[in-house]
Amino acid sequence: MTGPNNPPDDKTQPGAPDTGESDPEAETPQDAFPTSKSGLIQFKGPEWEIWPFNMMHQSFQLSQKSWHDALDSFDGVPPREKYIASIAAQQIFDMASPANGVWSNPEVIARTMSEGGTNLLRGALHLAQDWQRAAWGLPPVGADDYRPGRDVAVAPGKVVYRSDLLELIQYSPQTETVAAEPVLIVPAWLMKYYILDLSPQNSLVNYLCGQGFTVFMISWVNPGAQDGDICMADYLDAVTEALDGVGSIVPDARVHAIGYCLGGTLLTVKAAQMARDHDERLKTLTLFASQIDFEERAEFQMLLGETEILMLEHLMSKVGYLDGKHIAEAYKVLRAGEWIWPRHINDYLMGRRQPMSDIEAWSVDTTRLPGRAHSEYLRSMVLNNAVAEGRYDVDGRPISLGDITVPVFSVAARDDRIAPWRSLFKLRQLVKSSVTFALTTGGHVDGIIGDPDGRGQSYQIGRLSKTADAINATDWQERTPCQDGSWWPELVGWLRSHSDSARKPPPMGGFKGLAGATNDAPGTYVFQN
């Protein structure tokens, strides 16, 4: 996953033309040097326009550009190796920024002089506290203020089904009538599900319930060493179990299925399997930042090759899982200009604690990744692109995304570093049904999570069909008008357009034939460390 504020790596603004001459559908992340955007933030103040600080940051930025141009000019270097070199160079530039030094940052100098150095003393105490918490395996300062069920994940509901792999949560209705079709949300397994149920004002669950939908959510178990044999087939079967549970509570109704990130990838595979097997329980398919075609890989995925996957498989074979904290920390290092150095300046040099947001706290609450299933995902889907190319087997037979005929609503974020939006745009060429495609501002998390008011947000939206193959991503972006606000109301309107007449809310749980549970939301699995 990514941080809450992915800065844009695409200089093209929504609705503005791309001046590049290459086909954007053929562009891949490794082709461009990922220059740090932190400098654009760090050097904004008027203090940076005074000599000698203006000279410092201008020289620094010119050096970055020179390296950018030099790396881009290398011919005959494989794209992946060029990309790895660019990552190493950017790490050096992020660390060497004049904003990171006490005597090269005019804002730090001014604060140090006005406080007589007490800011540096507070910063040293902050650093010592952070080191101590890290050594003891404690979460960062502020994370304890976001406890599920108390501060986040507070939408009322019940755990109506539990298996070894999931808890199924049914949320309490908020309206007198609801859409005939229930909503089932499948989250990714890297982070806890409550990214979609944070504080009430930015909880998608709360919003959908308030708009007259019956909402169910999967909460995945946090696998341990005993779960090393859990595979992708088990997760696909778990989605079937969830659909069975939803169908027992809301019988004779098809389902609006929603998947986020890897949960969306998993859900798309399940949708293709269901279409192949003539299982018609899905009414619609909605995907949030979910990559299906990995021909164009994100920067983090670009670091993965056969050797790296073999190393991960060896590591996971010993303990049965891969700790999600390692992935989160690795991503923070790769994006040090956004995650590490701004906090270094604020907490240690300025001497003030930057409050942790609910999204940051959620990103700390990682889960373990089941070894076998994660290995299958990396090798089959990411490295070999088997799903998009029709070479992925489920129950011993290949699936085809072309079998999917239910309406699709796909949401991509323009600055997403995990699931590149141009790659998500290709979905229209893979499925038989038409795709409503929404491109929103923000990154992998803040592009999806916001609030219905959409303050400071904007999006583009349009309906695509497979016959519109001539429209590439940049052409679509240029021609589609940009709208202010949140895309959430667009999703609700789309779901309603594919829903039957309203009815009374279904009962809360209490179905037969499955392992019922009676815990209140957010359940028990969300608390597993």
Side-chain angles (χ1 to χ4, degrees):
M1 300 303 292
T2 187
N5 295 309
N6 285 340
D9 62 347
D10 184 352
K11 296 179 181 179
T12 304
Q13 299 300 318
D18 184 349
T19 57
E21 297 179 358
S22 59
D23 180 3
E25 297 278 77
E27 291 174 0
T28 52
Q30 68 268 30
D31 290 332
F33 180 76
T35 54
S36 172
K37 303 300 179 184
S38 58
L40 300 177
I41 300 171
Q42 293 168 350
F43 307 135
K44 271 188 174 180
E47 300 89 347
W48 288 101
E49 301 307 317
I50 301 173
W51 190 90
F53 305 109
N54 55 354
M55 179 190 67
M56 290 181 185
H57 82 77
Q58 289 170 11
S59 298
F60 173 76
Q61 290 175 312
L62 284 173
S63 297
Q64 282 196 106
K65 185 178 185 304
S66 297
W67 273 95
H68 177 175
D69 294 342
L71 286 170
D72 255 4
S73 67
F74 290 156
D75 294 327
V77 179
R80 183 168 174 269
E81 279 67 24
K82 183 187 292 188
Y83 179 73
I84 292 174
S86 75
I87 286 290
Q90 193 58 52
Q91 293 295 307
I92 296 173
F93 278 112
D94 285 337
M95 180 174 59
S97 169
N100 299 333
V102 175
W103 303 115
S104 56
N105 186 324
E107 297 174 88
V108 174
I109 293 174
R111 179 171 286 264
T112 302
M113 294 182 67
S114 66
E115 294 192 20
T118 57
N119 58 307
L120 298 178
L121 177 59
R122 289 196 307 273
L125 295 175
H126 293 162
L127 180 60
Q129 183 184 29
D130 290 346
W131 277 355
Q132 184 182 53
R133 293 182 71 88
W136 289 356
L138 298 175
V141 173
D144 294 333
D145 296 333
Y146 295 93
R147 182 172 175 80
R150 185 193 68 188
D151 309 294
V152 295
V154 296
K158 293 281 188 182
V159 175
V160 295
Y161 171 71
R162 180 182 298 114
S163 71
D164 292 338
L165 198 52
L166 68 87
E167 288 180 327
L168 181 64
I169 300 172
Q170 179 185 1
Y171 291 94
S172 302
Q174 298 182 15
T175 54
E176 293 185 1
T177 60
V178 296
E181 293 81 4
V183 172
L184 172 63
I185 302 177
V186 182
W189 62 48
L190 173 59
M191 302 288 186
K192 302 294 177 67
Y193 80 86
Y194 63 83
I195 186 60
L196 298 171
D197 181 27
L198 290 170
S199 55
Q201 65 270 19
N202 63 0
S203 166
L204 182 65
V205 167
N206 188 64
Y207 179 68
L208 290 175
C209 288
Q211 295 296 315
F213 290 93
T214 300
V215 180
F216 294 83
M217 174 84 79
I218 289 176
S219 175
W220 297 114
V221 74
N222 196 4
Q226 73 279 4
D227 300 315
D229 288 334
I230 294 177
C231 60
M232 288 292 295
D234 295 316
Y235 278 96
L236 291 169
D237 290 342
V239 175
T240 301
E241 292 179 20
L243 286 168
D244 291 341
V246 172
S248 296
I249 297 174
V250 192
D252 303 321
R254 297 169 73 187
V255 176
H256 294 306
I258 297 177
Y260 182 22
C261 188
L262 180 54
T265 306
L266 181 71
L267 185 58
T268 304
V269 173
K270 169 55 69 173
Q273 177 199 5
M274 295 172 69
R276 181 198 66 187
D277 298 341
H278 308 290
D279 184 337
E280 298 180 348
R281 282 182 289 176
L282 295 187
K283 186 67 175 286
T284 64
L285 178 63
T286 300
L287 305 174
F288 298 157
S290 300
Q291 190 168 5
I292 312 300
D293 187 326
F294 290 89
E295 182 181 6
E296 180 178 336
R297 288 196 261 162
E299 58 185 44
F300 195 82
Q301 298 161 351
M302 278 302 302
L303 299 178
L304 290 175
E306 182 65 28
T307 301
E308 288 73 23
I309 292 179
L310 285 172
M311 291 174 60
L312 286 173
E313 288 175 337
H314 179 70
L315 175 64
M316 291 186 291
S317 68
K318 292 184 176 181
V319 295
Y321 59 84
L322 179 65
D323 197 328
K325 292 183 175 64
H326 298 326
I327 295 180
E329 291 303 316
Y331 189 81
K332 287 181 180 180
V333 170
L334 284 176
R335 310 307 310 170
E338 302 150 31
W339 279 92
I340 297 176
W341 295 111
R343 187 167 287 277
H344 161 84
I345 296 167
N346 192 78
D347 290 10
Y348 307 145
L349 302 187
M350 302 295 281
R352 59 193 180 200
R353 274 292 187 192
Q354 178 178 327
M356 179 173 285
S357 69
D358 48 8
I359 292 180
E360 287 178 303
W362 166 83
S363 70
V364 171
D365 197 8
T366 57
T367 62
R368 294 180 289 272
L369 307 179
R372 183 177 172 186
H374 196 58
S375 173
E376 289 179 38
Y377 165 70
L378 293 177
R379 186 178 297 281
S380 297
M381 298 185 183
V382 178
L383 195 61
N384 294 325
N385 203 23
V387 173
E389 296 178 5
R391 294 181 287 101
Y392 192 81
D393 287 357
V394 178
D395 292 341
R397 291 185 294 152
I399 59 167
S400 171
L401 299 181
D403 291 337
I404 298 176
T405 59
V406 296
V408 178
F409 191 102
S410 177
V411 183
R414 183 166 56 85
D415 306 323
D416 196 336
R417 304 293 182 87
I418 302 295
W421 78 265
R422 287 185 172 88
S423 180
L424 272 58
F425 188 83
K426 296 178 181 179
L427 180 65
R428 80 200 190 285
Q429 298 174 318
L430 302 177
V431 298
K432 185 175 293 184
S433 53
S434 65
V435 177
T436 298
F437 186 77
L439 178 62
T440 179
T441 52
H444 192 70
V445 175
D446 62 332
I448 305 301
I449 305 307
D451 61 74
D453 295 333
R455 292 180 293 270
Q457 302 174 40
S458 63
Y459 65 94
Q460 298 166 271
I461 190 168
R463 185 178 178 185
L464 307 171
S465 65
K466 192 171 183 179
T467 58
D469 290 344
I471 301 177
N472 62 37
T474 298
D475 287 343
W476 179 88
Q477 187 184 29
E478 291 176 3
R479 299 173 187 176
T480 305
C482 187
Q483 305 180 50
D484 292 332
S486 170
W487 55 267
W488 285 11
E490 298 276 4
L491 172 62
V492 166
W494 183 83
L495 289 173
R496 284 177 177 160
S497 71
H498 294 287
S499 298
D500 294 334
S501 58
R503 60 178 65 171
K504 290 183 179 180
M508 290 293 294
F511 50 83
K512 298 179 180 180
L514 293 173
T518 58
N519 299 81
D520 289 335
T524 59
Y525 287 173
V526 74
F527 294 104
Q528 294 176 329
N529 295 319

